[in-house]
Amino acid sequence: MHYKTLVKTQKILKGNAMSGENDIIVGLAGHIDHGKTSFVRALNGFDGDNTAQEKERGITLDLSFSHLSLPNRNVAFIDVPGHEKLIKNMIAGSFGIDVLCLVVASDDGLMPQSFEHLAIANILGVQSCICVLSKVDKVSKETLNARKCEIESVFKDLQIALLGIYEFSALTPESYTQQITQALDLVPKPPNRELGMLMYYIDRAFSLSGSGCVVTGTLLGAQITQGQKVFVCELNKEVAIRQIQIHDTPSDTATPSHRVALNLSGISANELSRGMLITQKGFVRGSNFIDVYLHTQQPPKNNTICQLYLGTQRINVRINILSEGENASFACLCAEESIYSVFWQPFVLRNGNILLGGGRVLNPISDPMRKKDKIPLLHRLLEKDFQNAFKILSKIHRHGFGLVCATQRFGLSHSQAISIASNITDIFFDSKDLVLYPLSELENLKTQILDIFLKNKNALVSAHSLQIKFRWASLSFLQDALDSLYTQHFILKQNSLYLAKNNQIQNIDEYISQKIYSIYENQKFSPIAPYNLYDELDIDRSLGDRALKNLCLAKKIVRLNHNLFITAAALNDLNVLMRKIIKQHTYIDITLFKKYLPLSRKYLISYLEYLDNFQDIYKEEHKRKLKFT
C-alpha cells in the first residue's frame, strides 16, 4: 500500500474502531508444516494445536480460532489445516473470511496445498491476501527474492489482490511481527455483502457446564442480539440466544463479519452439527436441487457424484449438466438431503481429494421447468438481470410466482424486489401479496369468470367469493379481472358485487335468503356447509353470512356448530326421532342412531349433543337416556 493510502485508511479505521465495524476475519492458509501455527503463536501467544492428537502429530487437525487486538481493530484468525486429507476443514474455514493470509515456507516455496488453498479462496470470492514467507532464516537472500517473484506471478492469474509479502522467522519473531501487525491493522476491509437476513453456519457445537449448548461460527448478513429467537433450518426448530460472546468477551449484540459464540436455549448440543444453518424463521427454504454457475478446469461428466462444500456444510451431490462451455457451465446439483443456500453464494466441489472447481448459486430453489426455459433464466440470474428473470419465472409459474422469497432467491430486499417488479409492463404484479402473474393468465381468469355468469345468471360474486374457486389467485388479481370485465361492459356492478348482464334479481337479500332456506329445507338432515353452499350458488361470502344470520334471528334456521346449519322444522323432526329411539331401546348412541339415520359421524355427534340441551336428557358414558320413562 502507498503511504497516502495507509494514512487515509488509518483515519477511517480509527473513526470506527469503537463500533467494531472494521474488525476483520483472517484465514490462515498454507501447506502442511509451513509454520501457520507458529506464526499465530508469535502474534498473540495462541497455540492452535490445542488437542492431544494435534500436539502429538504436530499438525492442525481442525479449525483453530484466536484473535489479536490492534489499535484500530480486532483481528480474528482462523487457522485451517494444510494436510490434503483435511482440506474439507480448510474449506469450512474459508467461508466468511475477509482477508487471506497465505503462509509459505521459504525453503519449500509454494506447494500443492498452497495452490489448492489459493484456488479455493479464489472460488469463494476472497478479495485480498497478504503473504507471509516463513523460515526466512533457512534460505539465502537470492532464494528469498525468487520466492517473492514466484508468489507475485501466481497472483496474476487470480481475482485475489496481493497486498504485500512479509518475512517471518519463528527463531526471532519479534524482528518481524511489528511490520505484519501494522499491515493487518491497516488492510482494507471488504464491504459486507448485504444479505438482508441473518446467516450463521455452525462450525462447532458443544456443551459447557452451567451454560448448556454453545455453537461457534461466522456471523453474516445481519446483526444478532441477546434474547433474539433464531431458526435452525435443518431441524425446523426455533431457539433463543441466551448469551453472545465475541473474542472471549460477552456482548449484547454481534454484527456481521465476526467470529461469534452463541449460547442457545431450548436445544441440546447433541442435536446440532457442523454445517447447520441458523437464520431467521421464514427466510430460507431448503431444496434438494439447486441451479449453479460452475467453474471447472475440465468439464465434469454428467451425473458425477461429488461433495458440495457450502458454508460449513458438506453434502454429497450429483451434477446434472444443463449447458457447458470451455471452463464454465450451468448445472443442477441434486442431493438426497435439503440444501440451504442463498443467491450468489460461493461453493466448492470436490471429488474425494480432487478439487473439481466451484462457482455461485444462481437458483437456491430450483424450479421444475424444461431445460430450454431454464437456461435463459440462469443467464439472466448470472447477469443479475432480475427484471427479465421475473418475467421468465412469472410465465413458468402461471398461477403466481411469489417474491416473498426474494431475499433468499435473488439477494433482494422486499423493497428492491417491489421496485423491479413494478417497472415490468407485461406482467400483473400484486405489490401487497408480492406475487407476479403473466398477463395471459389474467385473460384466462377473465374467461373463467365469464363462464360462471354464463352457467348461472344469478351469480353474485366478489373477489373474496371467487377466491373459494381460484385459491391460487390473490385478491388483487381477482379484483383486477372483475374490474376489467366491468370496464369492458361484460358484467354489471352493484355496490361491491358483480352480476351478469341478464341478471333479473329485484331484491338481492331477499333472493339469497329464500334460496339458502330452500336448499337447507331440501337437504333436511344432511345440510351442506355454508362456504360450500356459497360456492355452489356463486354468491359472495359476506352476502351469504348476512342471509344466514337473518334466518337464524327469524328462527327459521338453527346453528348447531360453526359449519352446521339446519332448518328449525328438520331439527324438530330429529328431536322426535331421537326420543322415539330412546323410548324403544332405553338409550341412544352413535351406533344405534346410525341404524335409523345413516349419516356421517359429524352430523350424528352434533345432533346427539343437541339433545344435551334438554333437562329431561342425561348422558351416561356415550349413551343418552331419558330421566323420566
Side-chain angles (χ1 to χ4, degrees), residues 489-502:
H489 306 292
F490 287 120
I491 57 176
L492 301 177
K493 184 178 181 181
Q494 186 172 324
N495 297 324
S496 60
L497 297 174
Y498 294 82
L499 305 79
K501 291 182 74 174
N502 59 342

Side-chain angles (χ1 to χ4, degrees), residues 31-34 36-37 48-62 64 79-86:
H31 194 75
I32 182 173
D33 201 29
H34 271 208
K36 298 190 301 297
T37 303
D49 298 334
N50 53 8
T51 69
Q53 188 182 10
E54 285 172 343
K55 289 182 180 295
E56 181 182 340
R57 292 176 57 181
I59 62 171
T60 307
L61 293 178
D62 209 334
S64 295
D79 183 8
V80 297
H83 196 284
E84 64 174 337
K85 291 183 179 178
L86 301 171

Side-chain angles (χ1 to χ4, degrees), residues 154-364:
V154 167
F155 275 84
K156 291 178 181 178
D157 297 325
L158 301 174
Q159 299 298 313
I160 306 171
L162 178 61
L163 301 180
I165 302 174
Y166 300 90
E167 299 174 11
F168 176 75
S169 171
L171 298 179
T172 56
E174 60 280 353
S175 304
Y176 303 96
T177 53
Q178 184 176 356
Q179 186 182 15
I180 295 171
T181 54
Q182 184 181 24
L184 290 171
D185 202 23
L186 299 178
V187 64
K189 177 179 177 175
N192 288 326
R193 183 188 163 201
E194 294 296 329
L195 297 175
M197 61 180 169
L198 161 71
M199 285 193 73
Y200 180 101
Y201 282 103
I202 296 172
D203 50 49
R204 283 178 175 174
F206 50 90
S207 293
L208 286 179
S209 178
S211 296
C213 178
V214 176
V215 295
T216 64
T218 301
L219 179 61
L220 300 171
Q223 74 172 23
I224 201 167
T225 58
Q226 186 174 331
Q228 179 179 342
K229 287 188 176 181
V230 292
F231 192 73
V232 184
C233 292
E234 286 80 359
L235 301 179
N236 192 31
K237 188 172 185 178
E238 197 169 33
V239 298
I241 299 172
R242 184 183 290 134
Q243 295 178 52
I244 299 172
Q245 195 174 91
I246 306 174
H247 307 313
D248 302 326
T249 303
S251 176
D252 293 334
T253 304
T255 53
S257 199
H258 278 96
R259 289 290 307 164
V260 180
L262 302 176
N263 180 203
L264 303 177
S265 64
I267 197 166
S268 165
N270 295 330
E271 298 177 69
L272 300 168
S273 59
R274 172 181 289 180
M276 289 186 176
L277 175 62
I278 292 178
T279 182
Q280 295 147 285
K281 189 173 183 179
F283 273 74
V284 177
R285 284 194 296 134
S287 175
N288 296 92
F289 307 92
I290 63 172
D291 299 322
V292 302
Y293 185 61
L294 179 61
H295 284 278
T296 54
Q297 292 181 345
Q298 293 182 345
K301 293 181 179 180
N302 205 31
N303 292 320
T304 297
I305 304 296
C306 59
Q307 294 76 50
L308 166 69
Y309 294 87
L310 184 85
T312 57
Q313 296 181 73
R314 178 181 181 272
I315 301 172
N316 289 329
V317 296
R318 176 174 52 84
I319 303 175
N320 179 16
I321 301 297
L322 301 173
S323 73
E324 54 184 280
E326 188 175 344
N327 296 111
S329 58
F330 291 127
C332 178
L333 304 183
C334 316
E336 292 185 0
E337 57 187 290
S338 291
I339 304 171
Y340 295 91
S341 62
V342 298
F343 175 76
W344 211 247
Q345 189 173 354
F347 65 89
V348 172
L349 287 180
R350 290 179 62 83
N351 190 351
N353 293 328
I354 301 171
L355 177 65
L356 296 179
R360 297 280 177 170
V361 174
L362 296 181
N363 206 359

Side-chain angles (χ1 to χ4, degrees), residues 530-562:
Y531 297 153
N532 293 330
L533 173 62
Y534 305 158
D535 186 30
E536 185 178 295
L537 292 175
D538 297 313
I539 61 172
D540 180 68
R541 182 179 297 184
S542 61
L543 195 64
D545 286 347
R546 187 165 69 242
L548 268 179
K549 183 179 179 180
N550 291 333
L551 287 167
C552 289
L553 288 173
K555 298 184 179 180
K556 296 178 72 175
I557 284 181
V558 178
R559 184 179 190 176
L560 293 186
N561 61 40
H562 178 65

Side-chain angles (χ1 to χ4, degrees), residues 313-574:
Q313 296 181 73
R314 178 181 181 272
I315 301 172
N316 289 329
V317 296
R318 176 174 52 84
I319 303 175
N320 179 16
I321 301 297
L322 301 173
S323 73
E324 54 184 280
E326 188 175 344
N327 296 111
S329 58
F330 291 127
C332 178
L333 304 183
C334 316
E336 292 185 0
E337 57 187 290
S338 291
I339 304 171
Y340 295 91
S341 62
V342 298
F343 175 76
W344 211 247
Q345 189 173 354
F347 65 89
V348 172
L349 287 180
R350 290 179 62 83
N351 190 351
N353 293 328
I354 301 171
L355 177 65
L356 296 179
R360 297 280 177 170
V361 174
L362 296 181
N363 206 359
I365 308 294
S366 182
D367 301 280
M369 62 174 73
R370 293 172 296 181
K371 187 186 292 188
K372 70 172 188 176
D373 296 320
K374 180 168 284 190
I375 298 302
L377 171 64
L378 296 181
H379 275 293
R380 300 291 81 77
L381 292 173
L382 181 64
E383 297 161 4
K384 297 186 180 178
D385 178 4
F386 298 120
Q387 189 171 90
N388 283 309
F390 289 179
K391 285 184 182 181
I392 294 170
L393 287 165
S394 70
K395 290 177 181 177
I396 299 301
H397 298 268
R398 294 186 303 104
H399 283 179
F401 176 73
L403 292 182
V404 174
C405 55
T407 305
Q408 178 188 10
R409 293 203 59 164
F410 311 109
L412 300 172
S413 66
H414 282 173
S415 60
Q416 289 172 322
I418 289 171
S419 176
I420 293 168
S422 298
N423 290 317
I424 304 175
T425 56
D426 51 350
I427 64 167
F428 179 90
F429 175 51
D430 183 343
S431 59
K432 181 181 179 182
D433 288 350
L434 298 179
V435 184
L436 297 164
Y437 300 93
L439 290 183
S440 59
E441 199 58 28
L442 179 63
E443 295 305 313
N444 289 336
L445 180 60
K446 287 163 62 176
T447 300
Q448 292 178 71
I449 292 172
L450 283 177
D451 284 342
I452 293 173
F453 290 114
L454 287 172
K455 293 174 182 176
N456 180 6
K457 68 177 183 179
N458 293 324
L460 302 162
V461 305
S462 68
H464 285 279
S465 67
L466 288 176
Q467 216 169 26
I468 299 173
K469 288 183 180 291
F470 307 105
R471 297 186 182 278
W472 53 268
S474 69
L475 285 174
S476 295
F477 194 46
L478 290 164
Q479 189 63 55
D480 192 78
L482 286 168
D483 288 339
S484 178
L485 289 170
Y486 173 67
T487 302
Q488 293 173 305
H489 306 292
F490 287 120
I491 57 176
L492 301 177
K493 184 178 181 181
Q494 186 172 324
N495 297 324
S496 60
L497 297 174
Y498 294 82
L499 305 79
K501 291 182 74 174
N502 59 342
N503 186 293
Q504 297 177 350
I505 299 173
Q506 299 299 316
N507 186 315
I508 290 176
D509 286 331
E510 184 178 325
Y511 166 79
I512 295 299
S513 293
Q514 290 176 355
K515 197 70 175 175
I516 288 176
Y517 184 80
S518 174
I519 290 173
Y520 278 146
E521 188 176 37
N522 290 333
Q523 292 175 341
K524 202 168 184 182
F525 300 144
S526 54
I528 190 173
Y531 297 153
N532 293 330
L533 173 62
Y534 305 158
D535 186 30
E536 185 178 295
L537 292 175
D538 297 313
I539 61 172
D540 180 68
R541 182 179 297 184
S542 61
L543 195 64
D545 286 347
R546 187 165 69 242
L548 268 179
K549 183 179 179 180
N550 291 333
L551 287 167
C552 289
L553 288 173
K555 298 184 179 180
K556 296 178 72 175
I557 284 181
V558 178
R559 184 179 190 176
L560 293 186
N561 61 40
H562 178 65
N563 278 324
L564 180 56
F565 292 78
I566 185 171
T567 64
L571 188 60
N572 184 64
D573 291 343
L574 273 172

